Amino acid sequence: MYFEAKEFAPAARVLVDLVAEEPGRQDTRLLLARAYYHSAQLSRAERELRVLVEGDPVEQYARLMLGRTLQRQGRDEEAVPHLRLAAALGGEFPG
């Protein structure tokens, strides 16, 4: 409901409690990272996304979001490997 209304900060406040209750739930953590990203809480989004990719290094969407989060923070050089891996995991290969 919060996502449909584009109310990402309130969504994050709800989701942080859910992640605390069940830290192993990757789907909830990914939603929390998205809520942080869309509400410009980029360091928090980065933290959640790093937990996700550490737990599942081939999680394509988390890699893509981590790359974009780093880009939004002006850390383009750090973003490149994550974006390349996300593209490869999504079936995009250069040339």
mmCIF file with all atom_site columns, all heavy atoms in Angstrom, residues 68-94:
data_model
loop_
_atom_site.group_PDB
_atom_site.id
_atom_site.type_symbol
_atom_site.label_atom_id
_atom_site.label_alt_id
_atom_site.label_comp_id
_atom_site.label_asym_id
_atom_site.label_entity_id
_atom_site.label_seq_id
_atom_site.pdbx_PDB_ins_code
_atom_site.Cartn_x
_atom_site.Cartn_y
_atom_site.Cartn_z
_atom_site.occupancy
_atom_site.B_iso_or_equiv
_atom_site.pdbx_formal_charge
_atom_site.auth_seq_id
_atom_site.auth_comp_id
_atom_site.auth_asym_id
_atom_site.auth_atom_id
_atom_site.pdbx_PDB_model_num
ATOM 1   N N   . ARG A 1 68 ? 23.140 1.115   -8.691  1.00 0.00 ? 68 ARG A N   1
ATOM 2   C CA  . ARG A 1 68 ? 22.429 2.388   -8.848  1.00 0.00 ? 68 ARG A CA  1
ATOM 3   C C   . ARG A 1 68 ? 22.500 3.241   -7.582  1.00 0.00 ? 68 ARG A C   1
ATOM 4   O O   . ARG A 1 68 ? 22.584 4.468   -7.652  1.00 0.00 ? 68 ARG A O   1
ATOM 5   C CB  . ARG A 1 68 ? 20.984 2.137   -9.249  1.00 0.00 ? 68 ARG A CB  1
ATOM 6   C CG  . ARG A 1 68 ? 20.876 1.640   -10.672 1.00 0.00 ? 68 ARG A CG  1
ATOM 7   C CD  . ARG A 1 68 ? 19.464 1.514   -11.114 1.00 0.00 ? 68 ARG A CD  1
ATOM 8   N NE  . ARG A 1 68 ? 19.396 1.093   -12.505 1.00 0.00 ? 68 ARG A NE  1
ATOM 9   C CZ  . ARG A 1 68 ? 18.303 0.663   -13.075 1.00 0.00 ? 68 ARG A CZ  1
ATOM 10  N NH1 . ARG A 1 68 ? 17.171 0.586   -12.385 1.00 0.00 ? 68 ARG A NH1 1
ATOM 11  N NH2 . ARG A 1 68 ? 18.317 0.297   -14.336 1.00 0.00 ? 68 ARG A NH2 1
ATOM 12  N N   . THR A 1 69 ? 22.467 2.584   -6.437  1.00 0.00 ? 69 THR A N   1
ATOM 13  C CA  . THR A 1 69 ? 22.592 3.311   -5.176  1.00 0.00 ? 69 THR A CA  1
ATOM 14  C C   . THR A 1 69 ? 23.962 3.973   -5.081  1.00 0.00 ? 69 THR A C   1
ATOM 15  O O   . THR A 1 69 ? 24.079 5.139   -4.691  1.00 0.00 ? 69 THR A O   1
ATOM 16  C CB  . THR A 1 69 ? 22.359 2.359   -3.982  1.00 0.00 ? 69 THR A CB  1
ATOM 17  O OG1 . THR A 1 69 ? 21.038 1.819   -4.082  1.00 0.00 ? 69 THR A OG1 1
ATOM 18  C CG2 . THR A 1 69 ? 22.532 3.068   -2.653  1.00 0.00 ? 69 THR A CG2 1
ATOM 19  N N   . LEU A 1 70 ? 24.993 3.240   -5.454  1.00 0.00 ? 70 LEU A N   1
ATOM 20  C CA  . LEU A 1 70 ? 26.341 3.807   -5.445  1.00 0.00 ? 70 LEU A CA  1
ATOM 21  C C   . LEU A 1 70 ? 26.450 4.956   -6.438  1.00 0.00 ? 70 LEU A C   1
ATOM 22  O O   . LEU A 1 70 ? 27.072 5.987   -6.139  1.00 0.00 ? 70 LEU A O   1
ATOM 23  C CB  . LEU A 1 70 ? 27.371 2.713   -5.733  1.00 0.00 ? 70 LEU A CB  1
ATOM 24  C CG  . LEU A 1 70 ? 27.506 1.648   -4.645  1.00 0.00 ? 70 LEU A CG  1
ATOM 25  C CD1 . LEU A 1 70 ? 28.320 0.462   -5.143  1.00 0.00 ? 70 LEU A CD1 1
ATOM 26  C CD2 . LEU A 1 70 ? 28.116 2.229   -3.373  1.00 0.00 ? 70 LEU A CD2 1
ATOM 27  N N   . GLN A 1 71 ? 25.844 4.804   -7.617  1.00 0.00 ? 71 GLN A N   1
ATOM 28  C CA  . GLN A 1 71 ? 25.848 5.895   -8.598  1.00 0.00 ? 71 GLN A CA  1
ATOM 29  C C   . GLN A 1 71 ? 25.197 7.152   -8.035  1.00 0.00 ? 71 GLN A C   1
ATOM 30  O O   . GLN A 1 71 ? 25.715 8.253   -8.207  1.00 0.00 ? 71 GLN A O   1
ATOM 31  C CB  . GLN A 1 71 ? 25.112 5.480   -9.873  1.00 0.00 ? 71 GLN A CB  1
ATOM 32  C CG  . GLN A 1 71 ? 25.883 4.600   -10.795 1.00 0.00 ? 71 GLN A CG  1
ATOM 33  C CD  . GLN A 1 71 ? 25.073 4.226   -12.027 1.00 0.00 ? 71 GLN A CD  1
ATOM 34  O OE1 . GLN A 1 71 ? 23.855 4.046   -11.962 1.00 0.00 ? 71 GLN A OE1 1
ATOM 35  N NE2 . GLN A 1 71 ? 25.763 4.097   -13.146 1.00 0.00 ? 71 GLN A NE2 1
ATOM 36  N N   . ARG A 1 72 ? 24.061 6.991   -7.389  1.00 0.00 ? 72 ARG A N   1
ATOM 37  C CA  . ARG A 1 72 ? 23.348 8.150   -6.835  1.00 0.00 ? 72 ARG A CA  1
ATOM 38  C C   . ARG A 1 72 ? 24.162 8.856   -5.758  1.00 0.00 ? 72 ARG A C   1
ATOM 39  O O   . ARG A 1 72 ? 23.928 10.027  -5.483  1.00 0.00 ? 72 ARG A O   1
ATOM 40  C CB  . ARG A 1 72 ? 21.991 7.738   -6.261  1.00 0.00 ? 72 ARG A CB  1
ATOM 41  C CG  . ARG A 1 72 ? 20.948 7.512   -7.345  1.00 0.00 ? 72 ARG A CG  1
ATOM 42  C CD  . ARG A 1 72 ? 19.588 7.222   -6.773  1.00 0.00 ? 72 ARG A CD  1
ATOM 43  N NE  . ARG A 1 72 ? 19.012 8.358   -6.061  1.00 0.00 ? 72 ARG A NE  1
ATOM 44  C CZ  . ARG A 1 72 ? 17.872 8.300   -5.386  1.00 0.00 ? 72 ARG A CZ  1
ATOM 45  N NH1 . ARG A 1 72 ? 17.187 7.156   -5.323  1.00 0.00 ? 72 ARG A NH1 1
ATOM 46  N NH2 . ARG A 1 72 ? 17.405 9.352   -4.755  1.00 0.00 ? 72 ARG A NH2 1
ATOM 47  N N   . GLN A 1 73 ? 25.107 8.139   -5.167  1.00 0.00 ? 73 GLN A N   1
ATOM 48  C CA  . GLN A 1 73 ? 25.983 8.733   -4.167  1.00 0.00 ? 73 GLN A CA  1
ATOM 49  C C   . GLN A 1 73 ? 27.248 9.309   -4.800  1.00 0.00 ? 73 GLN A C   1
ATOM 50  O O   . GLN A 1 73 ? 28.145 9.741   -4.086  1.00 0.00 ? 73 GLN A O   1
ATOM 51  C CB  . GLN A 1 73 ? 26.366 7.689   -3.113  1.00 0.00 ? 73 GLN A CB  1
ATOM 52  C CG  . GLN A 1 73 ? 25.194 7.207   -2.288  1.00 0.00 ? 73 GLN A CG  1
ATOM 53  C CD  . GLN A 1 73 ? 25.614 6.155   -1.297  1.00 0.00 ? 73 GLN A CD  1
ATOM 54  O OE1 . GLN A 1 73 ? 26.201 6.461   -0.263  1.00 0.00 ? 73 GLN A OE1 1
ATOM 55  N NE2 . GLN A 1 73 ? 25.312 4.899   -1.609  1.00 0.00 ? 73 GLN A NE2 1
ATOM 56  N N   . GLY A 1 74 ? 27.326 9.265   -6.135  1.00 0.00 ? 74 GLY A N   1
ATOM 57  C CA  . GLY A 1 74 ? 28.492 9.789   -6.830  1.00 0.00 ? 74 GLY A CA  1
ATOM 58  C C   . GLY A 1 74 ? 29.686 8.856   -6.796  1.00 0.00 ? 74 GLY A C   1
ATOM 59  O O   . GLY A 1 74 ? 30.819 9.280   -6.999  1.00 0.00 ? 74 GLY A O   1
ATOM 60  N N   . ARG A 1 75 ? 29.444 7.580   -6.570  1.00 0.00 ? 75 ARG A N   1
ATOM 61  C CA  . ARG A 1 75 ? 30.514 6.587   -6.456  1.00 0.00 ? 75 ARG A CA  1
ATOM 62  C C   . ARG A 1 75 ? 30.478 5.670   -7.675  1.00 0.00 ? 75 ARG A C   1
ATOM 63  O O   . ARG A 1 75 ? 30.348 4.457   -7.560  1.00 0.00 ? 75 ARG A O   1
ATOM 64  C CB  . ARG A 1 75 ? 30.348 5.830   -5.146  1.00 0.00 ? 75 ARG A CB  1
ATOM 65  C CG  . ARG A 1 75 ? 30.520 6.761   -3.947  1.00 0.00 ? 75 ARG A CG  1
ATOM 66  C CD  . ARG A 1 75 ? 29.940 6.236   -2.664  1.00 0.00 ? 75 ARG A CD  1
ATOM 67  N NE  . ARG A 1 75 ? 30.448 4.954   -2.255  1.00 0.00 ? 75 ARG A NE  1
ATOM 68  C CZ  . ARG A 1 75 ? 29.882 4.207   -1.306  1.00 0.00 ? 75 ARG A CZ  1
ATOM 69  N NH1 . ARG A 1 75 ? 28.807 4.649   -0.673  1.00 0.00 ? 75 ARG A NH1 1
ATOM 70  N NH2 . ARG A 1 75 ? 30.391 3.054   -0.970  1.00 0.00 ? 75 ARG A NH2 1
ATOM 71  N N   . ASP A 1 76 ? 30.594 6.292   -8.845  1.00 0.00 ? 76 ASP A N   1
ATOM 72  C CA  . ASP A 1 76 ? 30.452 5.571   -10.110 1.00 0.00 ? 76 ASP A CA  1
ATOM 73  C C   . ASP A 1 76 ? 31.449 4.426   -10.268 1.00 0.00 ? 76 ASP A C   1
ATOM 74  O O   . ASP A 1 76 ? 31.092 3.354   -10.753 1.00 0.00 ? 76 ASP A O   1
ATOM 75  C CB  . ASP A 1 76 ? 30.591 6.539   -11.289 1.00 0.00 ? 76 ASP A CB  1
ATOM 76  C CG  . ASP A 1 76 ? 29.445 7.534   -11.360 1.00 0.00 ? 76 ASP A CG  1
ATOM 77  O OD1 . ASP A 1 76 ? 28.365 7.237   -10.822 1.00 0.00 ? 76 ASP A OD1 1
ATOM 78  O OD2 . ASP A 1 76 ? 29.639 8.606   -11.950 1.00 0.00 ? 76 ASP A OD2 1
ATOM 79  N N   . GLU A 1 77 ? 32.676 4.646   -9.866  1.00 0.00 ? 77 GLU A N   1
ATOM 80  C CA  . GLU A 1 77 ? 33.701 3.609   -10.029 1.00 0.00 ? 77 GLU A CA  1
ATOM 81  C C   . GLU A 1 77 ? 33.351 2.356   -9.223  1.00 0.00 ? 77 GLU A C   1
ATOM 82  O O   . GLU A 1 77 ? 33.541 1.238   -9.693  1.00 0.00 ? 77 GLU A O   1
ATOM 83  C CB  . GLU A 1 77 ? 35.061 4.155   -9.599  1.00 0.00 ? 77 GLU A CB  1
ATOM 84  C CG  . GLU A 1 77 ? 36.220 3.292   -10.046 1.00 0.00 ? 77 GLU A CG  1
ATOM 85  C CD  . GLU A 1 77 ? 37.548 3.978   -9.810  1.00 0.00 ? 77 GLU A CD  1
ATOM 86  O OE1 . GLU A 1 77 ? 37.724 5.124   -10.265 1.00 0.00 ? 77 GLU A OE1 1
ATOM 87  O OE2 . GLU A 1 77 ? 38.414 3.338   -9.157  1.00 0.00 ? 77 GLU A OE2 1
ATOM 88  N N   . GLU A 1 78 ? 32.822 2.546   -8.014  1.00 0.00 ? 78 GLU A N   1
ATOM 89  C CA  . GLU A 1 78 ? 32.400 1.418   -7.190  1.00 0.00 ? 78 GLU A CA  1
ATOM 90  C C   . GLU A 1 78 ? 31.160 0.734   -7.765  1.00 0.00 ? 78 GLU A C   1
ATOM 91  O O   . GLU A 1 78 ? 30.951 -0.456  -7.554  1.00 0.00 ? 78 GLU A O   1
ATOM 92  C CB  . GLU A 1 78 ? 32.075 1.878   -5.773  1.00 0.00 ? 78 GLU A CB  1
ATOM 93  C CG  . GLU A 1 78 ? 33.256 2.220   -4.914  1.00 0.00 ? 78 GLU A CG  1
ATOM 94  C CD  . GLU A 1 78 ? 32.809 2.668   -3.547  1.00 0.00 ? 78 GLU A CD  1
ATOM 95  O OE1 . GLU A 1 78 ? 32.297 1.831   -2.763  1.00 0.00 ? 78 GLU A OE1 1
ATOM 96  O OE2 . GLU A 1 78 ? 32.950 3.873   -3.262  1.00 0.00 ? 78 GLU A OE2 1
ATOM 97  N N   . ALA A 1 79 ? 30.340 1.480   -8.471  1.00 0.00 ? 79 ALA A N   1
ATOM 98  C CA  . ALA A 1 79 ? 29.086 0.954   -9.010  1.00 0.00 ? 79 ALA A CA  1
ATOM 99  C C   . ALA A 1 79 ? 29.306 0.022   -10.194 1.00 0.00 ? 79 ALA A C   1
ATOM 100 O O   . ALA A 1 79 ? 28.552 -0.936  -10.385 1.00 0.00 ? 79 ALA A O   1
ATOM 101 C CB  . ALA A 1 79 ? 28.180 2.107   -9.433  1.00 0.00 ? 79 ALA A CB  1
ATOM 102 N N   . VAL A 1 80 ? 30.334 0.286   -10.987 1.00 0.00 ? 80 VAL A N   1
ATOM 103 C CA  . VAL A 1 80 ? 30.538 -0.433  -12.255 1.00 0.00 ? 80 VAL A CA  1
ATOM 104 C C   . VAL A 1 80 ? 30.549 -1.946  -12.100 1.00 0.00 ? 80 VAL A C   1
ATOM 105 O O   . VAL A 1 80 ? 29.829 -2.645  -12.831 1.00 0.00 ? 80 VAL A O   1
ATOM 106 C CB  . VAL A 1 80 ? 31.803 0.083   -12.978 1.00 0.00 ? 80 VAL A CB  1
ATOM 107 C CG1 . VAL A 1 80 ? 32.196 -0.821  -14.132 1.00 0.00 ? 80 VAL A CG1 1
ATOM 108 C CG2 . VAL A 1 80 ? 31.577 1.505   -13.461 1.00 0.00 ? 80 VAL A CG2 1
ATOM 109 N N   . PRO A 1 81 ? 31.336 -2.530  -11.178 1.00 0.00 ? 81 PRO A N   1
ATOM 110 C CA  . PRO A 1 81 ? 31.332 -4.003  -11.097 1.00 0.00 ? 81 PRO A CA  1
ATOM 111 C C   . PRO A 1 81 ? 29.961 -4.585  -10.772 1.00 0.00 ? 81 PRO A C   1
ATOM 112 O O   . PRO A 1 81 ? 29.585 -5.636  -11.305 1.00 0.00 ? 81 PRO A O   1
ATOM 113 C CB  . PRO A 1 81 ? 32.332 -4.314  -9.981  1.00 0.00 ? 81 PRO A CB  1
ATOM 114 C CG  . PRO A 1 81 ? 33.087 -3.078  -9.728  1.00 0.00 ? 81 PRO A CG  1
ATOM 115 C CD  . PRO A 1 81 ? 32.271 -1.936  -10.242 1.00 0.00 ? 81 PRO A CD  1
ATOM 116 N N   . HIS A 1 82 ? 29.202 -3.899  -9.930  1.00 0.00 ? 82 HIS A N   1
ATOM 117 C CA  . HIS A 1 82 ? 27.871 -4.397  -9.563  1.00 0.00 ? 82 HIS A CA  1
ATOM 118 C C   . HIS A 1 82 ? 26.910 -4.310  -10.752 1.00 0.00 ? 82 HIS A C   1
ATOM 119 O O   . HIS A 1 82 ? 26.127 -5.227  -10.989 1.00 0.00 ? 82 HIS A O   1
ATOM 120 C CB  . HIS A 1 82 ? 27.322 -3.618  -8.367  1.00 0.00 ? 82 HIS A CB  1
ATOM 121 C CG  . HIS A 1 82 ? 28.157 -3.784  -7.152  1.00 0.00 ? 82 HIS A CG  1
ATOM 122 N ND1 . HIS A 1 82 ? 28.191 -4.947  -6.416  1.00 0.00 ? 82 HIS A ND1 1
ATOM 123 C CD2 . HIS A 1 82 ? 29.029 -2.932  -6.541  1.00 0.00 ? 82 HIS A CD2 1
ATOM 124 C CE1 . HIS A 1 82 ? 29.028 -4.805  -5.402  1.00 0.00 ? 82 HIS A CE1 1
ATOM 125 N NE2 . HIS A 1 82 ? 29.549 -3.587  -5.457  1.00 0.00 ? 82 HIS A NE2 1
ATOM 126 N N   . LEU A 1 83 ? 26.993 -3.232  -11.496 1.00 0.00 ? 83 LEU A N   1
ATOM 127 C CA  . LEU A 1 83 ? 26.124 -3.070  -12.669 1.00 0.00 ? 83 LEU A CA  1
ATOM 128 C C   . LEU A 1 83 ? 26.486 -4.067  -13.760 1.00 0.00 ? 83 LEU A C   1
ATOM 129 O O   . LEU A 1 83 ? 25.601 -4.626  -14.414 1.00 0.00 ? 83 LEU A O   1
ATOM 130 C CB  . LEU A 1 83 ? 26.202 -1.637  -13.186 1.00 0.00 ? 83 LEU A CB  1
ATOM 131 C CG  . LEU A 1 83 ? 25.648 -0.573  -12.228 1.00 0.00 ? 83 LEU A CG  1
ATOM 132 C CD1 . LEU A 1 83 ? 25.938 0.819   -12.751 1.00 0.00 ? 83 LEU A CD1 1
ATOM 133 C CD2 . LEU A 1 83 ? 24.163 -0.777  -11.993 1.00 0.00 ? 83 LEU A CD2 1
ATOM 134 N N   . ARG A 1 84 ? 27.767 -4.305  -13.952 1.00 0.00 ? 84 ARG A N   1
ATOM 135 C CA  . ARG A 1 84 ? 28.198 -5.293  -14.956 1.00 0.00 ? 84 ARG A CA  1
ATOM 136 C C   . ARG A 1 84 ? 27.737 -6.687  -14.577 1.00 0.00 ? 84 ARG A C   1
ATOM 137 O O   . ARG A 1 84 ? 27.255 -7.446  -15.423 1.00 0.00 ? 84 ARG A O   1
ATOM 138 C CB  . ARG A 1 84 ? 29.714 -5.266  -15.121 1.00 0.00 ? 84 ARG A CB  1
ATOM 139 C CG  . ARG A 1 84 ? 30.204 -4.102  -15.918 1.00 0.00 ? 84 ARG A CG  1
ATOM 140 C CD  . ARG A 1 84 ? 31.682 -4.195  -16.167 1.00 0.00 ? 84 ARG A CD  1
ATOM 141 N NE  . ARG A 1 84 ? 32.135 -3.050  -16.930 1.00 0.00 ? 84 ARG A NE  1
ATOM 142 C CZ  . ARG A 1 84 ? 33.362 -2.614  -16.958 1.00 0.00 ? 84 ARG A CZ  1
ATOM 143 N NH1 . ARG A 1 84 ? 34.311 -3.237  -16.270 1.00 0.00 ? 84 ARG A NH1 1
ATOM 144 N NH2 . ARG A 1 84 ? 33.682 -1.567  -17.682 1.00 0.00 ? 84 ARG A NH2 1
ATOM 145 N N   . LEU A 1 85 ? 27.912 -7.041  -13.324 1.00 0.00 ? 85 LEU A N   1
ATOM 146 C CA  . LEU A 1 85 ? 27.476 -8.365  -12.873 1.00 0.00 ? 85 LEU A CA  1
ATOM 147 C C   . LEU A 1 85 ? 25.960 -8.495  -12.989 1.00 0.00 ? 85 LEU A C   1
ATOM 148 O O   . LEU A 1 85 ? 25.461 -9.531  -13.434 1.00 0.00 ? 85 LEU A O   1
ATOM 149 C CB  . LEU A 1 85 ? 27.939 -8.621  -11.434 1.00 0.00 ? 85 LEU A CB  1
ATOM 150 C CG  . LEU A 1 85 ? 27.637 -10.000 -10.871 1.00 0.00 ? 85 LEU A CG  1
ATOM 151 C CD1 . LEU A 1 85 ? 28.147 -11.118 -11.779 1.00 0.00 ? 85 LEU A CD1 1
ATOM 152 C CD2 . LEU A 1 85 ? 28.229 -10.135 -9.479  1.00 0.00 ? 85 LEU A CD2 1
ATOM 153 N N   . ALA A 1 86 ? 25.225 -7.459  -12.635 1.00 0.00 ? 86 ALA A N   1
ATOM 154 C CA  . ALA A 1 86 ? 23.765 -7.497  -12.764 1.00 0.00 ? 86 ALA A CA  1
ATOM 155 C C   . ALA A 1 86 ? 23.367 -7.701  -14.213 1.00 0.00 ? 86 ALA A C   1
ATOM 156 O O   . ALA A 1 86 ? 22.458 -8.489  -14.516 1.00 0.00 ? 86 ALA A O   1
ATOM 157 C CB  . ALA A 1 86 ? 23.146 -6.213  -12.217 1.00 0.00 ? 86 ALA A CB  1
ATOM 158 N N   . ALA A 1 87 ? 24.049 -7.017  -15.126 1.00 0.00 ? 87 ALA A N   1
ATOM 159 C CA  . ALA A 1 87 ? 23.747 -7.173  -16.554 1.00 0.00 ? 87 ALA A CA  1
ATOM 160 C C   . ALA A 1 87 ? 24.039 -8.597  -17.006 1.00 0.00 ? 87 ALA A C   1
ATOM 161 O O   . ALA A 1 87 ? 23.235 -9.208  -17.720 1.00 0.00 ? 87 ALA A O   1
ATOM 162 C CB  . ALA A 1 87 ? 24.544 -6.167  -17.369 1.00 0.00 ? 87 ALA A CB  1
ATOM 163 N N   . ALA A 1 88 ? 25.171 -9.131  -16.591 1.00 0.00 ? 88 ALA A N   1
ATOM 164 C CA  . ALA A 1 88 ? 25.531 -10.507 -16.980 1.00 0.00 ? 88 ALA A CA  1
ATOM 165 C C   . ALA A 1 88 ? 24.536 -11.509 -16.406 1.00 0.00 ? 88 ALA A C   1
ATOM 166 O O   . ALA A 1 88 ? 24.106 -12.446 -17.098 1.00 0.00 ? 88 ALA A O   1
ATOM 167 C CB  . ALA A 1 88 ? 26.951 -10.833 -16.517 1.00 0.00 ? 88 ALA A CB  1
ATOM 168 N N   . LEU A 1 89 ? 24.142 -11.312 -15.174 1.00 0.00 ? 89 LEU A N   1
ATOM 169 C CA  . LEU A 1 89 ? 23.161 -12.216 -14.549 1.00 0.00 ? 89 LEU A CA  1
ATOM 170 C C   . LEU A 1 89 ? 21.814 -12.115 -15.243 1.00 0.00 ? 89 LEU A C   1
ATOM 171 O O   . LEU A 1 89 ? 21.044 -13.077 -15.251 1.00 0.00 ? 89 LEU A O   1
ATOM 172 C CB  . LEU A 1 89 ? 23.021 -11.910 -13.062 1.00 0.00 ? 89 LEU A CB  1
ATOM 173 C CG  . LEU A 1 89 ? 24.232 -12.256 -12.205 1.00 0.00 ? 89 LEU A CG  1
ATOM 174 C CD1 . LEU A 1 89 ? 24.096 -11.652 -10.809 1.00 0.00 ? 89 LEU A CD1 1
ATOM 175 C CD2 . LEU A 1 89 ? 24.419 -13.761 -12.123 1.00 0.00 ? 89 LEU A CD2 1
ATOM 176 N N   . GLY A 1 90 ? 21.531 -10.958 -15.831 1.00 0.00 ? 90 GLY A N   1
ATOM 177 C CA  . GLY A 1 90 ? 20.286 -10.762 -16.562 1.00 0.00 ? 90 GLY A CA  1
ATOM 178 C C   . GLY A 1 90 ? 20.357 -11.201 -18.014 1.00 0.00 ? 90 GLY A C   1
ATOM 179 O O   . GLY A 1 90 ? 19.419 -11.029 -18.771 1.00 0.00 ? 90 GLY A O   1
ATOM 180 N N   . GLY A 1 91 ? 21.520 -11.747 -18.399 1.00 0.00 ? 91 GLY A N   1
ATOM 181 C CA  . GLY A 1 91 ? 21.671 -12.255 -19.759 1.00 0.00 ? 91 GLY A CA  1
ATOM 182 C C   . GLY A 1 91 ? 22.188 -11.255 -20.759 1.00 0.00 ? 91 GLY A C   1
ATOM 183 O O   . GLY A 1 91 ? 22.181 -11.513 -21.965 1.00 0.00 ? 91 GLY A O   1
ATOM 184 N N   . GLU A 1 92 ? 22.657 -10.106 -20.314 1.00 0.00 ? 92 GLU A N   1
ATOM 185 C CA  . GLU A 1 92 ? 23.203 -9.095  -21.207 1.00 0.00 ? 92 GLU A CA  1
ATOM 186 C C   . GLU A 1 92 ? 24.719 -9.245  -21.255 1.00 0.00 ? 92 GLU A C   1
ATOM 187 O O   . GLU A 1 92 ? 25.400 -9.126  -20.241 1.00 0.00 ? 92 GLU A O   1
ATOM 188 C CB  . GLU A 1 92 ? 22.862 -7.691  -20.707 1.00 0.00 ? 92 GLU A CB  1
ATOM 189 C CG  . GLU A 1 92 ? 21.383 -7.435  -20.636 1.00 0.00 ? 92 GLU A CG  1
ATOM 190 C CD  . GLU A 1 92 ? 21.071 -6.094  -19.973 1.00 0.00 ? 92 GLU A CD  1
ATOM 191 O OE1 . GLU A 1 92 ? 21.888 -5.160  -20.094 1.00 0.00 ? 92 GLU A OE1 1
ATOM 192 O OE2 . GLU A 1 92 ? 20.020 -6.007  -19.333 1.00 0.00 ? 92 GLU A OE2 1
ATOM 193 N N   . PHE A 1 93 ? 25.242 -9.535  -22.432 1.00 0.00 ? 93 PHE A N   1
ATOM 194 C CA  . PHE A 1 93 ? 26.672 -9.691  -22.610 1.00 0.00 ? 93 PHE A CA  1
ATOM 195 C C   . PHE A 1 93 ? 27.167 -8.747  -23.683 1.00 0.00 ? 93 PHE A C   1
ATOM 196 O O   . PHE A 1 93 ? 26.507 -8.594  -24.725 1.00 0.00 ? 93 PHE A O   1
ATOM 197 C CB  . PHE A 1 93 ? 27.006 -11.146 -22.994 1.00 0.00 ? 93 PHE A CB  1
ATOM 198 C CG  . PHE A 1 93 ? 26.576 -12.143 -21.958 1.00 0.00 ? 93 PHE A CG  1
ATOM 199 C CD1 . PHE A 1 93 ? 25.395 -12.846 -22.103 1.00 0.00 ? 93 PHE A CD1 1
ATOM 200 C CD2 . PHE A 1 93 ? 27.340 -12.350 -20.821 1.00 0.00 ? 93 PHE A CD2 1
ATOM 201 C CE1 . PHE A 1 93 ? 24.980 -13.759 -21.143 1.00 0.00 ? 93 PHE A CE1 1
ATOM 202 C CE2 . PHE A 1 93 ? 26.925 -13.259 -19.847 1.00 0.00 ? 93 PHE A CE2 1
ATOM 203 C CZ  . PHE A 1 93 ? 25.757 -13.973 -20.019 1.00 0.00 ? 93 PHE A CZ  1
ATOM 204 N N   . PRO A 1 94 ? 28.297 -8.079  -23.447 1.00 0.00 ? 94 PRO A N   1
ATOM 205 C CA  . PRO A 1 94 ? 28.819 -7.146  -24.460 1.00 0.00 ? 94 PRO A CA  1
ATOM 206 C C   . PRO A 1 94 ? 29.218 -7.862  -25.728 1.00 0.00 ? 94 PRO A C   1
ATOM 207 O O   . PRO A 1 94 ? 29.686 -8.993  -25.698 1.00 0.00 ? 94 PRO A O   1
ATOM 208 C CB  . PRO A 1 94 ? 30.024 -6.503  -23.775 1.00 0.00 ? 94 PRO A CB  1
ATOM 209 C CG  . PRO A 1 94 ? 30.376 -7.384  -22.634 1.00 0.00 ? 94 PRO A CG  1
ATOM 210 C CD  . PRO A 1 94 ? 29.159 -8.178  -22.278 1.00 0.00 ? 94 PRO A CD  1
#
